[in-house]
Amino acid sequence: MALRPQQGFTLLEVLVAVTILAVALGAVIKLGSDNARIAAELRDRTHAHWVASNVMARYRAGLDAPAEAVVRGSSMMAEREWFWEARLDPAMLDVGGFELGPVPRIEISVRDRDDPDASPLARLVGYLNWQ
């Protein structure tokens, strides 16, 4: 009876293949996790910018009177509560050598939690056309 050569993989070949597969799957899982985290951050920044735009629109429409201080409030958007802060400062504008006088400059910052020390997710700066 003649010996036939064995067919199949050696243990070392199987271990190398499993290691390569494990590294590849780990990279795919990390990529999916990073993608989900970045998508959630972009969603939050977009909603925060919409909140800031809504607050700015209220000031520009005259629905909220500007105050010479910091005004804090909250708004609901996308089933979440967003915390905003509006800071009004008179700005001296010079356009083409003509001084326009003090024009109300408003800066709106929006955060996802009620913590003034947290970094804002969105910041919007604009000028009001009335005093």
Side-chain angles (χ1 to χ4, degrees):
M1 175 174 202
L3 291 175
R4 293 187 338 210
Q6 291 186 350
Q7 297 196 0
F9 297 106
T10 65
L11 180 59
L12 183 60
E13 290 171 333
V14 171
L15 288 175
V16 169
V18 168
T19 302
I20 291 171
L21 184 62
V23 170
L25 287 177
V28 168
I29 289 171
K30 182 173 179 353
L31 182 65
S33 172
D34 288 348
N35 189 22
R37 181 185 51 79
I38 290 170
E41 183 178 339
L42 287 174
R43 179 203 61 216
D44 290 348
R45 288 187 181 276
T46 300
H47 290 162
H49 189 278
W50 289 345
V51 169
S53 295
N54 287 345
V55 172
M56 180 70 76
R58 290 186 61 82
Y59 277 105
R60 286 188 171 159
L63 299 175
D64 293 333
E68 292 281 336
V70 176
V71 178
R72 290 184 176 88
S74 66
S75 298
M76 291 297 293
M77 168 126 352
E79 299 179 1
R80 285 179 61 187
E81 187 172 15
W82 299 90
F83 300 92
W84 54 266
E85 176 180 290
R87 185 179 307 269
L88 187 77
D89 297 315
M92 299 300 285
L93 293 183
D94 184 23
V95 178
F98 296 101
E99 190 170 299
L100 298 178
V103 176
R105 176 186 181 272
I106 187 166
E107 179 178 338
I108 301 166
S109 302
V110 180
R111 295 172 175 80
D112 60 349
R113 58 184 184 269
D114 193 12
D115 181 8
D117 294 330
S119 62
L121 291 174
R123 182 172 286 145
L124 184 63
V125 176
Y127 295 91
L128 302 177
N129 57 359
W130 49 278
Q131 296 182 21

